[in-house]
Amino acid sequence: MSEKGPPGPPRAAPAIVSRQNRLEWIDGLRGLASLVIFTHHFSDLTWSQSHPNTLAEGSLEGFLRNGQLAVGMYFLLGGRVLAASFLKSAFTVPKAPVVHGDDQPEKKPAGKPPGPRWLSLSSSLFRRSIRLAFPAIIVGFIQWQTCINGLLDTAQLAQDAVMQPSALWTPTWCGIGNFSGFLQFTLDLFTESNHQYMLTVGGALWTTYDQFWGSVLVYIVAATLAPLPHRGRYSLYLAICVSLWWINSPNMLYMLGLWLADVHAAGFIRKIQDSWKLTVGIEVCAMALALAMIAGGAKVATPANIAIGKVTVSNGKYGWDPSLAWPQYMLTSNWIPPAMILLWVELSHVMQWFVSWGIFTWIGKVSYGFYLMQFLTIYGLMPHLVLYFNDQGRTYWNNIVPTYIICLIFNFFIAWVSYHLLDRVGLKLGKWIWDGLFVTKPNTAGALPVKMVRAFFHMCIHLPGDTVRAIGQKTTSTYTATAQGLHTLMNWRTPTTRPPVPDPTDPEVLAQLHSTRWTSDLSHDPEAMRTRRLLKLQSWAWLPHLFLIPGLTAVWVIYHPMGNWTYDALTFSTLWRFMWVLSLPNCLFAWIGFITPDVVHSKEAMDKRPVHREYIRNFFIVLVTKGSNESAVRRGYNKLLRLEKYHPSVKVVVLTDEPYVYPDLQNIVCPKSYKSPLGKAKYKARALDYFRYHVSLGVYDWILHMDEESVTDAESLRHCIEFIRYTPHHFGQGIILYNGEGYWDNWYFTVADGIRVGDDLARFHLQNTVIHRPVFGVHGSFLMTNGEMENECTWDFGSLAEDFEFSQDAWSRGFTCGRIHGIVREQSPTTLRDFLKQRRRWFMGIRDIKGLYGLPHLAINLWVVGVFTLGVTIINLPLGFIEHALTPLWVAVCANFCFITFFTLYLWGLLFQELDYGQTWWKIPIHLLCAIIIQPFASVAEGLSAIWAMSSEDFGKFEVIVKK
C-alpha cells in the first residue's frame, strides 16, 4: 500500500455572497430609466403639445417622462458599474483561512490588497468598445434603410389626422446619404460631438459618443488613481468632477458613478450602513434634494439652472442660457436628481431589493437594445396604431394609451431579439477578438497580423459548421427543456408517487400499536362541544360567502365612493391604479376558499368511510419552545396534558433548548452540541431534528407540532385521529386562532391577527381541502406530520421559515397534505416591535427558499404587491383631488373586489374567534365595528414589516416573540 502524505491545510468554506453585493439592482435601475426614456420620446411625439398638463414638465408626476434625467441616470450607472470589478480586486484584502472547528481566523490578515488586475481593465475597455459599436452600427444601418425606402412616411399622416399639434415628424435619417455617407456616419458615432446633428441622422444613437468617451475616461481614471490612498484618490475625483462640471461635460456623470463605485469597493458604504442614523440622514437629504429639483419646477429648478449657467462654460461659451441648451442632462435640475437617487439606492437595502425585481432586471439586461430600437418602434408602429384606433372612432386617450402599451410591449420584444442577436453577439465578438489577439500564444505585436488572417480564414471555414452545430445543440436543449416543462405542467401536483404502507403482521410490532378508532365520549366536555358546534356552523359558511363579497363589490362599484368610473378600457389613471389589479390573484384564491364547503362530518358518518390506517404507535403533541418563557410553557403543557386520557397513543412533550430544563414535565432537551446531519438546521429546526432522532420516529408515529402557548381541545384531537385513520395524506393542518391568553388585551394586535384566521378559513382551507399540496406553504404550529415523512425530509434546512421549506421538500417527495377539522388557540404578539419582528422573520425566511415552481418567490411577490397596493391607495387620496381622470370599469371592479376581500378576511376571522371564545353577544358587533376602524392601521403595520424585511440584510437569526 502506498503511504498517504500528511493532510493538507483545510479548505476554506466558499464565500457567501449576500444579495446586496450583486449588481441586479443596477440592472433594475437601468431598466426603469429605459422606461422613462421611452415614455419621454413617446409623449414628445404624441400628447406633450396638445395635452401639456398630462405628466407636465416640472411636476412630480412629470418625472415619469423626464428623458434627459433618465439619460443622466444611464451615464451615472455606466460609471458605477464599468470599473466595479477592477476596483474590488484592487481594494479587497484576502481573508485569513479559518481553522477547522474554529469560528474565528487564526490571525489577522497581513499584507496589502493584491492590487488591481490590469489585464482585466484593458480587456474590459476593448470589449466595451465592441459592444457599443456593433449594435449601434447595425441599428444605424436599419434606420437608414427604412428611411430611404419610405417605410416611415405614415408618421406625417398620423400627425395630421389625430395628433395636431405634436412634434411627430418624418425621420430625417436619410440625411446620411449614400453608402460612403453611412461609413462616415459610423465614424461620427464615436467622433462627432454635435448632438443635434447626430439626433437628426441617427435618432437615439446620438448618445453613443458620450457613452464611448465616458467609458474610456472611467477606465483611464480608475487605472491611474487606484494605487493612491483614498484621501488622495477622493481629492482628485473631486477636482476632476468640478472641472468637468464647469465645462458642462457629461463625463462628469461617469466620474460621479466611478467615485461611488470606489466608495463601495473601499468599504465606506458598508461603514455608513452600520450606522442607521447616518444612513437615514443621508437618504432623507438625498431624496429631499432630488424632490426639490424634480417637483420644484419654475420655483426651484429654473432659478438653479440659470444661476449655474451664469458661472459655467457650455460649448466654449462662458455664461449661457440653459433654456436654449440641448441636450439638457447637464442642467442642475436634471443631473442632481439621478445622482441623489443613485446614492439613495446605494445605501438602501429596501430600494435595492425593489429595483432588483425580475421584471426590472430583465428590462435592464435588454436595455441597450430597448434604447436603440425605440425610435424604430415609435416611427414604424405607432402611426399605424394611431390611425387604426382613430378609424374605430375612439376618444383621444382611448387611442393613445393602448397605442403606448402596444408599442412598449413590441419594443420589449425587439429589445429581447436584439439582445440575443446584437448585444450578446457583440459581447462574444469582443471577447473572441481579444482572446484571439492578446491571450492565445504567441501574443507579441508582430504576431497580430498573422493571427488576424488566420482567424479570418478559420471563421470562413468553420463558421457554417459551428453554426449548424450550435443550432442543433440549441434545438436539442430546447426540446429537452420543453419536454421537462410539459411533464412538470402535467404532473405539477405529484412530482413523484408514494407506495401505500401495508398493515403490520408481526406480533411484536402489533403489540406496540394502538387502533386509530376513536372511542372516547366527549359529550360532557363543554369546550369540545363548543368546538363541534362552531365547526358545524363553518360547514355552512360557504353559502353567505357565495354572495357576500361579489354583492358588496357590486354595491361599491355602483355607488363608487372611491371615484367615478368609465367604460373606456384605459385611462391615464390606469398607469398607477393598475397596482390594485395585481392583488387580484391573492384575493381570488381567498374568495374561492371562502366558497369551498368546509364540511365537517359526524363520527357516525366517518365510521362508514374506508380506513386508510388502522394502527398508530405514538401521537406526540410537541410544544416546541426555547424554554425561557416558563409561565407560557407550563400553562400550555398543563392544558394539553388533559388530552392524554382520550386516546392511549397521545403523549404530550415539551421540546426545549439547553440549558432550559423542566424535570417535572415530559421534557426533551436539545443539547447545544447537537448538529444535524447536513449541519444546516438552526434554532427551532435543529430542535425538531433532534427530537426526530431522539425518539426514533417510525411510520406509525405522528407528531402534532405546537408553539409554546398553543392549546387545543378534545374535539380537535378527535379530528386529528380521524385524519390519520380515514385520509391517505401524510401531513395536515387546521385552523389557528389567536384568542388565547390576553385576548382583546390589545385591540390593535387582536384585529391585526384576524387576517391570519381568515386566511386559514379561505386560502389554506382551499389548499388542504381541494389541492392537497402546500402551494401556500404551511404554518409551524398545528402542523401534524407522519414520522416516516419527517425521517425522509428531516428538518435539516437553513431557512428561518423552516416550516415552509419543509412543506416544499415534502411535496417534492410525493407527500400530500389535508385539512384537519380542528382548532388550536394561540396568542397574538403583545408589542409592535414583536409584531414586526415576527412578520419580518417570515418574509426573510420565505424569501431565501427555492421551493417548487418558484412558489416561495411568488408568495413574497404577492406580499410585496399588497404593500404597494396599500401605498397606491394612500397616494391616490391626495391625487384624487389633483388628477380627476376616470377609472376604467374593469380596474374599479378588480380594485373593489380586492378591497372587500381583504376586509372580509379580517372581519370573518375576527367573528370566528369571537364565536369560539364564547364572547358576550352584545360585544361582538362593537368589536366588529372597531375592527373596521382599526383594520387600515393594521394593514399599515403589515406593510411596515415587509418594508423592514426588504431593507434588512440576511441576518440568519431566529428572533423569539415573547408571549406572556
Side-chain angles (χ1 to χ4, degrees):
M1 296 177 60
S2 60
E3 295 182 359
K4 297 182 179 179
R11 297 180 61 184
I16 300 176
V17 181
S18 172
R19 66 180 64 242
Q20 282 77 22
N21 290 332
R22 303 172 187 169
L23 297 180
E24 284 92 346
W25 66 269
I26 291 182
D27 280 333
L29 209 53
R30 187 184 289 115
L32 291 171
S34 300
L35 292 175
V36 173
I37 293 173
F38 181 87
T39 306
H40 163 77
H41 289 134
F42 187 91
S43 62
D44 272 2
L45 301 179
T46 52
W47 78 72
S48 63
Q49 294 185 20
S50 59
H51 297 76
N53 292 327
T54 300
L55 296 182
E57 293 183 359
S59 65
L60 181 59
E61 62 272 18
F63 169 77
L64 297 176
R65 71 177 189 93
N66 192 333
Q68 296 290 322
L69 185 151
V71 170
M73 178 63 77
Y74 248 91
F75 293 169
L76 285 163
L77 292 174
R80 170 63 179 84
V81 75
L82 286 176
S85 61
F86 171 79
L87 293 173
K88 185 176 181 180
S89 69
F91 303 145
T92 300
V93 178
K95 295 182 179 180
V98 177
V99 179
H100 183 68
D102 197 356
D103 292 332
Q104 299 295 330
E106 194 173 33
K107 59 182 180 179
K108 294 183 178 181
K112 297 180 179 180
R117 295 175 295 179
W118 301 105
L119 185 63
S120 68
L121 187 65
S122 54
S123 171
S124 298
L125 177 57
F126 181 84
R127 286 182 289 157
R128 171 73 172 174
S129 303
I130 299 296
R131 185 192 179 191
L132 286 175
F134 183 73
I137 293 172
I138 297 298
V139 172
F141 181 81
I142 295 173
Q143 291 181 163
W144 173 50
Q145 288 297 309
T146 55
C147 183
I148 64 176
N149 288 287
L151 301 179
L152 307 175
D153 295 341
T154 315
Q156 192 64 46
L157 297 176
Q159 181 192 27
D160 296 338
V162 181
M163 294 178 292
Q164 195 71 263
S166 77
L168 188 62
W169 41 271
T170 302
T172 55
W173 305 327
C174 308
I176 291 175
N178 54 20
F179 187 72
S180 62
F182 174 73
L183 294 179
Q184 179 62 47
F185 166 77
T186 301
L187 182 62
D188 290 342
L189 285 174
F190 305 95
T191 59
E192 179 57 69
S193 60
N194 187 338
H195 296 101
Q196 191 69 55
Y197 166 74
M198 293 304 296
L199 174 67
T200 303
V201 297
L205 301 177
W206 67 270
T207 61
T208 305
Y209 174 87
D210 292 329
Q211 293 185 67
F212 174 71
W213 290 108
S215 303
V216 172
L217 181 64
V218 164
Y219 288 125
I220 292 175
V221 173
T224 304
L225 301 187
L228 300 178
H230 69 270
R231 290 187 179 88
R233 288 201 315 274
Y234 296 164
S235 298
L236 290 174
Y237 279 138
L238 178 61
I240 294 172
C241 288
V242 171
S243 301
L244 294 173
W245 166 80
W246 190 69
I247 63 173
N248 276 277
S249 171
N251 291 335
M252 184 203 71
L253 301 177
Y254 278 92
M255 290 309 304
L256 287 176
L258 174 63
W259 195 352
L260 194 57
D262 189 308
V263 172
H264 181 273
F268 291 109
I269 292 293
R270 180 57 196 235
K271 290 180 180 179
I272 293 173
Q273 291 172 332
D274 288 340
S275 171
W276 72 268
K277 294 181 179 178
L278 179 60
T279 302
V280 172
I282 295 175
E283 290 176 355
V284 170
C285 292
M287 289 314 301
L289 184 56
L291 285 174
M293 291 296 175
I294 292 172
K299 295 181 179 179
V300 178
T302 302
N305 294 334
I306 294 174
I308 297 300
K310 293 179 179 180
V311 297
T312 57
V313 176
S314 178
N315 293 325
K317 181 180 178 181
Y318 180 79
W320 51 284
D321 186 355
S323 63
L324 303 178
W326 194 92
Q328 295 185 329
Y329 45 64
M330 283 306 295
L331 295 184
T332 303
S333 60
N334 282 337
W335 73 261
I336 285 184
M340 294 299 100
I341 292 172
L342 180 59
L343 177 62
W344 177 38
V345 178
E346 184 77 54
L347 292 172
S348 172
H349 297 304
V350 60
M351 289 308 301
Q352 289 181 16
W353 191 91
F354 170 66
V355 299
S356 296
W357 271 25
I359 182 62
F360 299 146
T361 57
W362 181 85
I363 298 173
K365 289 177 181 178
V366 302
S367 61
Y368 191 43
F370 185 86
Y371 173 78
L372 295 180
M373 294 290 188
Q374 59 185 315
F375 275 114
L376 285 170
T377 297
I378 293 175
Y379 283 110
L381 178 62
M382 185 263 286
H384 296 279
L385 292 173
V386 167
L387 291 173
Y388 172 76
F389 290 134
N390 185 62
D391 292 341
Q392 291 184 338
R394 295 198 180 194
T395 60
Y396 183 84
W397 285 113
N398 216 18
N399 182 332
I400 296 300
V401 173
T403 299
Y404 171 82
I405 294 174
I406 295 173
C407 289
L408 184 65
I409 294 173
F410 180 77
N411 206 52
F412 282 144
F413 171 73
I414 61 174
W416 175 78
V417 173
S418 67
Y419 171 73
H420 288 280
L421 297 183
L422 299 180
D423 206 9
R424 293 185 65 182
V425 171
L427 285 170
K428 293 180 180 179
L429 180 64
K431 185 178 186 302
W432 179 72
I433 296 175
W434 176 266
D435 291 345
L437 297 181
F438 304 107
V439 177
T440 57
K441 303 294 183 178
N443 53 10
T444 60
L448 291 181
V450 177
K451 294 169 74 172
M452 292 176 66
V453 173
R454 185 186 303 152
F456 176 76
F457 282 104
H458 182 276
M459 181 182 67
C460 294
I461 296 172
H462 295 280
L463 182 60
D466 292 343
T467 303
V468 172
R469 191 179 303 110
I471 293 174
Q473 292 175 351
K474 183 66 175 178
T475 303
T476 302
S477 62
T478 302
Y479 173 79
T480 303
T482 303
Q484 292 176 348
L486 289 175
H487 180 270
T488 300
L489 182 64
M490 301 301 295
N491 301 275
W492 68 273
R493 294 184 71 246
T494 311
T496 182
T497 56
R498 307 207 53 90
V501 178
D503 287 335
T505 56
D506 187 345
E508 293 185 4
V509 175
L510 287 170
Q512 305 176 35
L513 304 181
H514 309 281
S515 173
T516 54
R517 186 179 184 86
W518 183 272
T519 57
S520 299
D521 181 18
L522 304 179
S523 59
H524 300 294
D525 188 331
E527 188 177 30
M529 291 298 99
R530 186 169 71 244
T531 298
R532 182 176 299 181
R533 290 190 296 270
L534 182 58
L535 292 176
K536 285 184 178 179
L537 178 64
Q538 175 63 18
S539 299
W540 298 98
W542 64 275
L543 284 173
H545 284 305
L546 197 61
F547 307 100
L548 179 65
I549 293 178
L552 290 176
T553 300
V555 171
W556 206 261
V557 171
I558 292 172
Y559 292 99
H560 46 79
M562 298 179 68
N564 295 327
W565 47 265
T566 177
Y567 286 108
D568 287 344
L570 296 167
T571 63
F572 177 71
S573 66
T574 310
L575 292 175
W576 73 85
R577 291 174 181 168
F578 179 76
M579 185 63 70
W580 289 330
V581 181
L582 297 181
S583 295
L584 189 60
N586 216 13
C587 295
L588 278 176
F589 280 123
W591 181 63
I592 294 172
F594 272 136
I595 66 173
T596 301
D598 189 8
V599 180
V600 180
H601 298 283
S602 64
K603 183 180 182 303
E604 292 73 19
M606 296 297 294
D607 288 340
K608 297 178 183 178
R609 293 192 166 193
V611 176
H612 285 273
R613 300 181 184 90
E614 179 62 45
Y615 299 103
I616 184 174
R617 183 174 67 170
N618 296 303
F619 185 88
F620 293 106
I621 302 179
V622 182
L623 274 76
V624 189
T625 174
K626 181 180 180 181
S628 57
N629 191 354
E630 182 176 355
S631 60
V633 172
R634 291 188 178 278
R635 183 171 60 245
Y637 177 84
N638 292 331
K639 289 184 178 180
L640 292 173
L641 191 62
R642 306 169 189 169
L643 301 179
E644 290 189 350
K645 65 182 179 181
Y646 292 108
H647 197 277
S649 65
V650 177
K651 297 178 177 62
V652 180
V653 177
V654 176
L655 178 61
T656 59
D657 277 332
E658 191 181 4
Y660 299 101
V661 181
Y662 295 90
D664 56 328
L665 308 181
Q666 298 181 56
N667 181 205
I668 295 177
V669 181
C670 178
K672 293 181 179 179
S673 60
Y674 177 73
K675 191 174 184 179
S676 58
L678 299 179
K680 294 181 180 180
K682 298 179 293 185
Y683 309 109
K684 181 180 178 181
R686 189 179 72 94
L688 291 173
D689 199 71
Y690 176 77
F691 174 81
R692 173 191 65 82
Y693 161 79
H694 180 78
V695 301
S696 300
L697 294 176
V699 68
Y700 300 107
D701 294 321
W702 289 78
I703 309 93
L704 181 62
H705 299 275
M706 307 279 268
D707 286 343
E708 64 182 5
E709 83 282 5
S710 305
V711 295
T712 189
D713 55 76
E715 177 69 8
S716 299
L717 175 64
R718 177 176 76 85
H719 285 289
C720 289
I721 301 297
E722 288 181 345
F723 176 92
I724 299 170
R725 181 177 178 84
Y726 296 113
T727 74
H729 306 301
H730 308 86
F731 63 108
Q733 195 146 48
I735 307 168
I736 303 177
L737 307 184
Y738 303 91
N739 59 358
E741 195 75 15
Y743 184 53
W744 284 110
D745 283 357
N746 189 306
W747 287 37
Y748 182 83
F749 299 120
T750 298
V751 174
D753 271 339
I755 192 172
R756 297 173 66 187
V757 181
D759 224 15
D760 278 350
L761 299 172
R763 286 194 311 140
F764 284 92
H765 157 52
L766 175 67
Q767 166 186 288
N768 295 319
T769 304
V770 178
I771 305 175
H772 296 302
R773 303 298 186 275
V775 292
F776 306 122
V778 296
H779 306 308
S781 184
F782 200 2
L783 173 62
M784 190 175 74
T785 59
N786 177 255
E788 177 195 27
M789 186 183 82
E790 288 212 8
N791 285 334
E792 187 168 331
C793 300
T794 76
W795 290 93
D796 209 352
F797 307 110
S799 169
L800 293 174
E802 73 289 330
D803 43 16
F804 199 115
E805 191 166 6
F806 177 83
S807 71
Q808 297 292 292
D809 186 73
W811 183 5
S812 68
R813 297 173 186 270
F815 296 106
T816 60
C817 61
R819 176 75 160 175
I820 299 175
H821 295 102
I823 294 174
V824 162
R825 300 160 185 89
E826 297 184 353
Q827 294 175 241
S828 296
T830 55
T831 67
L832 180 60
R833 183 171 181 82
D834 279 350
F835 181 91
L836 297 178
K837 284 165 59 178
Q838 182 187 60
R839 268 64 172 178
R840 175 194 183 213
R841 176 174 61 82
W842 297 341
F843 188 103
M844 298 183 69
I846 297 173
R847 182 183 69 183
D848 295 326
I849 298 173
K850 184 177 180 181
L852 286 177
Y853 317 125
L855 288 175
H857 292 168
L858 176 62
I860 288 299
N861 287 335
L862 289 175
W863 193 341
V864 174
V865 162
V867 176
F868 291 146
T869 303
L870 175 65
V872 169
T873 303
I874 295 173
I875 292 172
N876 190 63
L877 295 176
L879 280 182
F881 295 100
I882 302 172
E883 204 284 316
H884 301 285
L886 300 177
T887 303
L889 178 60
W890 66 275
V891 174
V893 170
C894 293
N896 292 333
F897 176 82
C898 295
F899 177 77
I900 298 298
T901 302
F902 273 119
F903 256 99
T904 304
L905 286 169
Y906 276 97
L907 297 181
W908 196 265
L910 188 62
L911 175 62
F912 194 89
Q913 291 184 106
E914 295 284 273
L915 296 176
D916 174 76
Y917 187 75
Q919 190 67 265
T920 307
W921 68 268
W922 58 268
K923 289 184 179 180
I924 295 178
I926 296 176
H927 287 166
L928 292 178
L929 288 174
C930 292
I932 294 175
I933 300 172
I934 297 172
Q935 186 272 338
F937 301 97
S939 298
V940 170
E942 294 280 357
L944 288 175
S945 64
I947 292 173
W948 187 18
M950 287 188 289
S951 62
S952 303
E953 290 190 270
D954 301 332
F955 60 99
K957 181 180 178 182
F958 191 100
E959 296 178 301
V960 178
I961 306 301
V962 179
K963 298 178 181 179
K964 301 178 180 179

